[in-house]
Each structure stands twice: as C-alpha cells, then as structure tokens.
Amino acid sequence: MTKYIFVTGGVTSSLGKGIISASLAKLLQARGYRVTIQKFDPYINIDPGTLNPYEHGECYVTEDGAETDLDLGHYERFLNTPTSKANNITTGRIYQNVINKEREGAFLGKTVQVVPHITDEIKRNFRILGENGEYDIVITELGGTVGDIESLPYIEAVRQFRWETGSNNSLVIHLTLVPFLAAAGELKTKPTQHSVKMLLEYGIQPDILVCRTEHHLTNDIRKKIALFCNVNINAVIESIDAQSIYDVPLLMLKEQLDKTVLTKLKLPHKLEPDLENWKDFLGRLKNPTADVRIALVGKYVELPDAYKSITEAFIHAGAKQECKVRVEYIPSEQLTPENAVEKLKGMHGVLVAPGFGERGFEGKIQAIRHVRENNIPFFGICLGMQCAVVEFGRHVLGLENANSTEMNPDTPHPVIGMMEDQKTITHKGGTMRLGAYPCDIKKGTKAAAIYGKNHISERHRHRYEFNNDYLKQYEAAGLIPSGINPDNGLVEIVELKSHPFFVGSQFHPELKSTVANPHPLFINFVAASLAYARKK
Ligand code: GLN
C-alpha cells in the first residue's frame, strides 16, 4: 500500500520546501523505495504557463508537455525520474474539474461547495499517483504558507485524508523558521510554536518539524520545540543554511529525517541509503580544478530563479568537468552594438537564454555576432537559437532585416516563423509546442559527437520555428541543421561548421539535466569554454 507524506510550510515562504521534499525523496530512493513528489499550488491559474517568470520563476516543462512549477525541476534533478502533468496541481485545475463535473450533471440536485466538493477533488488528486502501484511513497508538497486563505481547503483535505487513511499510512512534515535575533543573541522558537498552533486549530498535528535556521539548534531548543509542539525530540529536524542545495540530502541524513519518517510510517529501514554517486558528485562539485566564466544573456536575469534549470545544468556539467562554472547574468536590453564587446569581455562562453517578446532581442543579436566572429563558444537555447539564425541571416547571408515574425511580423525575411497550426490558436494557456519530441541527429556533426547517438528526444516550449524555405541557403553558408524532427522536418538543432562551439537548440536541454545524468550539450559547452579559457 502506498504511503503518503505531506509537506506544509509555516511562518514565511521561501524556506525551501521543494528542496526538503526532494532531499527526503532522494534518501528514501537511496534506500530502495520508489518515490515520487507532487506539488499542489494554491493559485487560481490552471498552470504557471501564463505567468511572468518574475512571479514564480521558471516554468518547468514535463515530458508529457505540462507547464509546471519550478520545484518539479528539483524533483527530477534529485531523483533522476521524470515527472508528469499529474505532479503539479493548482487550485485553478481543482476548481475547473469540479465545475466541469457540475456542468456534466455529476452533482445534480446538490449545492456544490468547498467542503466537500473541492476538498474531495483535492483528495482524489492526492491519490492519483499512488494508485497505479508504481510508488511506495508519494510526497505531496503544499505550496503557500499555513494560514493563507488560499491554502485552507488543502489543509482541510489533508486533515480528512489522514483521518481516512489511518495514522501509519501518512504523515505531515511541517517546515518552519527558527530565526536568530542578533540583538538577543539567540534562536527564537515562538514563530514555530505559533505556526504549529495554527495547524492544530485546523486539526492537524504535524509529526515532524523541519526547522530552517542559520545557527545549529541546541539540545535545549530542540527540547523546547518538542515540548511545545507535541513532537518527539528526534522529530525536530534542523535544516541549516547550506552552501549548495545538493548538500541538503546529506544534512537530512545526518538529522535522520529518513529514519524518523520510515519509523512513523512503519516501513523497514535496515539498509543504509546508497549515496555513493551523490557523494562523488558533491566531491567533484566542491573541488574544481578549473574555472570558467559563462555569460547568460537573457531578459529576466535580475531574478536568477527565472533560469533555474539552466543554472543547475551548469552545476551538473561543471561537476562532471571538475570545473567551477561562474555564470554571469547579462540583461540583454543593456547590450547594444556599441557595448556588446565590452560587456562580454573576459567571458569564456556565452549562452543566450530562452524567452519571449522583443525586449532585449537586438542586444542578443549583437552578442551572438561578437561570439561567432571571435570563435567564442556559443550556446543558444530556444529563443537563443532563433536569435542565432536571425544573426546569421543578417550578417552572413546578407538577408537585410531578417527577423523572427515574433519580433517583426512584416520582416522581408521571416527566417523564424510560426507553424501553420499555431496561427489559428487564440488561447494562450498550454497551446505552444510543448513537451518531448523526437529528433534525428545528422551523422558526422558536432551534435552527433556530443550525443553519441542518432535519435534523441528533448522537451520543447515555443510557438516559432526555423523557416525551412531558407534551409538550403543556411546550409550552403555553413550553419547546418544537425537535428531534425523526423515527423515534420522541423529544424531542432543548428550548428556552425567552422567554429569551435556554436550550437543552437530549438528545444530545452536544461530540463533534462540531472545530478545523475548531466546533459551532454552542457557538458560539451562547458568543455569548449574551458578550452577557450585555457587558450587565452
Ligand atoms: N519566443 C519563442 C517562441 O515562442 C521562443 C520561446 C522560448 O525561448 N522558450 O518560439
């Protein structure tokens, strides 16, 4: 029977519920359990696909094409197993399902209410991933903070769920803050007490408290929290600020979070977790033998969370190469033809990020011209690849005012254009080319050497594509399509023959990079940047 763990948060947001959930899952997985993590977000959007990255950071795309919360990226990077649409549910989706059922007549004669209809639908969704026998343990992370109006139906659903499933089959982990008051020189437990009290008011006694803190919890503090919050002292878990998110599983292991969880769920924990590969990764991450500076040119660089998967993919690839990758964020709108060279000075590689809209577009074109002409390693992802195609069209093929029709619908040379089937779409949510698509790699290309295979599958999130009317011209001039979608002939990878590393991918390789499987495109881009740095 599947066991369920709920992770709630108190006191403030940003305590790292996603990382704690992923770390616990990692430990349980390393003990041989089959684990998945799902995230329930209390906002009313159906999914985060239509949110500006400034609101919630990056939108993470799953294999099955769901646009989801960035925490799902952490789950995949830690566990090395794919998530799906079922792993991220929002209030919007819950209400949509209930309202659809109401229209179908499923509740005929009844008043449809938050309790029981919305809470029933939440509980049904808690269970979906656990029902097919694929998982021993399902961890459910509840977004938001206990006490928020939006979170109430979820908390009530957890209360009911626990009542129905029995005490050994589910547990609640509550994440709280234990702040350090510099003036008093001590850690304070009151916010934790209050947030547990609030949970108790809603009928939930947390089983385990994970206390985020900047200083180690003393035994006295642990005792105090245990006494006032009705938990065992070994269920007071310290979560101290870590140097890297990838340290957290080991910190949780030290605190025996996994053991406490398994004991409470009445699951055996005889075998010690096998974390050899993880420790090996950490060893390489922390002992780099080289250093590279890579510019990340993008529109949302003020908020690093907007490019979470890219920065994590660099961490994985850097560890693989035993190389510290210093990612330097460069706002694209600050780049002009005049200052591009200056701004990119000292960079050993340039990544042009995915994005939407015109802001900063011309700056990216300048950056690409500079790196193409100066043999500096370049990697363009999605919009970044489209920029490379535009740049090459303008400056090498001499296609005056070549552009993407996203930036200029009236361009005389629409080298990037919208697919026919996209043109009739009016709804914005979930209508892009989304999720995993196959791609054939051309033999003898850089892409073939990098992937070491001829058929790959990568994840997409875009509306615009390379315009194949121009393909022959590009190929003849040396920007070759080294990856093609076998079903519709769309160009998925371009690369420049006569350049150490000039690669653009229409898909998002960063979404598939994990600790266990760093992405080959990132590994090779870092290697090329390293080679460039050494030559300098
Ligand atoms: N705006 C571009 C498109 O829709 C690129 C999207 C992206 O970079 N994810 O095709």
Side-chain angles (χ1 to χ4, degrees):
M1 192 195 150
T2 308
K3 308 267 184 174
Y4 292 87
I5 300 172
F6 294 95
V7 181
T8 61
V11 188
T12 83
S13 56
S14 307
L15 290 180
K17 270 191 303 229
I19 300 297
I20 291 294
S21 303
S23 299
L24 172 60
K26 181 77 224 166
L27 294 179
L28 298 172
Q29 184 193 54
R31 286 179 180 275
Y33 288 101
R34 298 167 308 158
V35 195
T36 190
I37 319 175
Q38 52 185 355
K39 170 113 191 246
F40 282 64
D41 278 310
Y43 53 72
I44 295 172
N45 305 62
I46 298 291
D47 61 42
T50 52
L51 290 175
N52 184 319
Y54 286 128
E55 297 271 323
H56 273 270
E58 164 190 281
C59 170
Y60 187 79
V61 180
T62 56
E63 286 288 297
D64 62 351
E67 298 179 282
T68 70
D69 187 80
L70 61 74
D71 273 343
L72 272 76
H74 290 308
Y75 307 162
E76 289 201 12
R77 289 186 283 272
F78 276 58
L79 298 182
N80 197 35
T81 54
T83 54
S84 70
K85 183 176 170 192
N87 293 71
N88 192 194
I89 304 289
T90 67
T91 293
R93 195 178 294 284
I94 296 285
Y95 271 79
Q96 193 180 47
N97 292 347
V98 171
I99 291 168
N100 287 345
K101 278 188 203 157
E102 188 272 338
R103 291 289 83 182
E104 286 162 15
F107 311 112
L108 231 43
K110 290 265 183 297
T111 310
V112 182
Q113 292 174 297
V114 173
V115 182
H117 301 98
I118 295 298
T119 45
D120 280 352
E121 179 62 15
I122 294 173
K123 284 190 290 179
R124 189 180 74 77
N125 279 276
F126 282 165
R127 279 203 185 87
I128 289 176
L129 285 170
E131 263 163 359
N132 56 12
E134 233 179 284
Y135 302 106
D136 305 310
I137 301 168
V138 174
I139 300 179
T140 302
E141 180 191 343
L142 296 184
T145 307
V146 170
D148 295 348
I149 292 176
E150 293 97 323
S151 304
L152 273 176
Y154 293 95
I155 301 292
E156 168 60 11
V158 172
R159 187 195 66 75
Q160 293 180 13
F161 187 95
R162 300 202 67 195
W163 177 250
E164 289 163 359
T165 22
S167 57
N168 297 331
N169 297 320
S170 73
L171 63 81
V172 172
I173 298 177
H174 188 56
L175 207 68
T176 88
L177 177 70
V178 178
F180 180 77
L181 279 197
E186 54 185 29
L187 289 167
K188 290 293 181 190
T189 65
K190 198 69 90 189
T192 297
Q193 295 178 42
H194 279 299
S195 98
V196 170
K197 217 166 254 163
M198 199 172 289
L199 262 183
L200 285 167
E201 267 172 43
Y202 300 138
I204 293 180
Q205 166 65 56
D207 300 277
I208 296 172
L209 297 174
V210 173
C211 305
R212 182 71 188 264
T213 173
E214 290 171 21
H215 296 267
H216 288 293
L217 300 182
T218 60
N219 221 20
D220 282 349
I221 293 274
R222 288 182 197 249
K223 269 196 210 146
K224 191 169 168 187
I225 293 174
L227 179 66
F228 290 140
C229 301
N230 321 319
V231 296
N232 294 333
I233 185 146
N234 66 0
V236 178
I237 306 286
E238 169 189 287
S239 165
I240 195 135
D241 289 356
Q243 207 191 345
S244 154
I245 55 171
Y246 299 109
D247 288 327
V248 180
L250 297 185
L251 294 175
M252 290 304 113
L253 180 71
K254 210 165 129 225
E255 288 288 302
Q256 304 197 331
L257 174 61
D258 54 335
K259 265 193 189 157
T260 308
V261 162
L262 291 170
T263 308
K264 287 196 187 287
L265 291 175
K266 299 267 186 289
L267 288 171
H269 46 81
K270 287 188 204 89
L271 295 175
E272 280 306 302
D274 175 8
L275 291 163
E276 277 323 300
N277 292 341
W278 193 270
K279 286 180 187 161
D280 178 53
F281 159 78
L282 279 177
R284 279 180 287 121
L285 178 67
K286 300 208 164 159
N287 300 292
T289 55
D291 207 296
V292 287
R293 291 173 73 194
I294 292 183
L296 195 161
V297 180
K299 183 166 123 178
Y300 310 105
V301 291
E302 297 88 336
L303 182 80
D305 263 6
Y307 301 110
K308 196 82 208 159
S309 293
I310 293 179
T311 44
E312 297 307 317
F314 274 128
I315 292 174
H316 309 153
K320 179 91 186 163
Q321 303 279 8
E322 297 184 22
C323 161
K324 165 115 192 111
V325 180
R326 296 185 195 280
V327 178
E328 316 229 350
Y329 298 93
I330 300 188
S332 45
E333 70 265 41
Q334 285 180 14
L335 286 175
T336 62
E338 295 73 39
N339 72 9
V341 179
E342 181 58 31
K343 289 245 182 216
L344 296 174
K345 214 168 156 185
M347 297 298 166
H348 307 127
V350 172
L351 183 142
V352 176
F356 295 85
E358 208 189 344
R359 188 161 66 90
F361 185 76
E362 294 299 326
K364 294 179 197 173
I365 300 289
Q366 290 314 320
I368 295 170
R369 179 174 203 169
H370 173 66
V371 295
R372 182 177 54 74
E373 292 178 344
N374 292 284
N375 287 327
I376 300 168
F378 163 78
F379 188 15
I381 298 181
C382 209
L383 182 63
M385 164 195 146
Q386 298 174 356
C387 291
V389 169
V390 169
E391 191 280 326
F392 195 85
R394 287 187 194 171
H395 304 131
V396 179
L397 302 180
L399 303 172
E400 211 173 313
N401 292 323
N403 216 329
S404 158
T405 53
E406 180 181 8
M407 313 305 155
N408 176 9
D410 303 319
T411 168
H413 293 292
V415 292
I416 301 289
M418 208 184 253
M419 287 273 295
E420 276 312 311
D421 57 359
Q422 279 285 339
K423 288 183 182 161
T424 48
I425 290 173
T426 49
H427 277 44
K428 292 275 185 244
T431 54
M432 282 187 259
R433 177 143 86 107
L434 287 167
Y437 283 88
C439 171
D440 285 351
I441 307 269
K442 207 181 251 169
K443 289 205 182 78
T445 58
K446 230 174 245 132
I450 288 171
Y451 277 98
K453 48 185 172 186
N454 303 328
H455 306 285
I456 58 162
S457 164
E458 293 278 5
R459 297 184 202 168
H460 291 248
R461 182 175 189 246
H462 55 100
R463 285 185 209 286
Y464 296 83
E465 312 277 354
F466 184 94
N467 181 347
N468 278 340
D469 292 346
Y470 291 88
L471 189 57
K472 287 252 152 13
Q473 257 178 291
Y474 274 85
E475 235 181 322
L479 189 70
I480 55 170
S482 48
I484 300 277
N485 182 315
D487 302 326
N488 49 25
L490 289 172
V491 174
E492 311 285 41
I493 310 177
V494 295
E495 62 182 69
L496 198 54
K497 262 192 189 156
S498 55
H499 190 287
F501 193 103
F502 188 97
V503 178
S505 69
Q506 186 56 79
F507 49 77
H508 291 260
E510 73 276 19
L511 300 175
K512 284 181 77 168
S513 184
T514 69
V515 166
N517 265 324
H519 198 286
L521 280 170
F522 278 87
I523 297 174
N524 281 275
F525 176 50
V526 170
S529 305
L530 199 56
Y532 179 84
R534 289 198 169 126
K535 228 175 42 211
K536 280 242 109 181

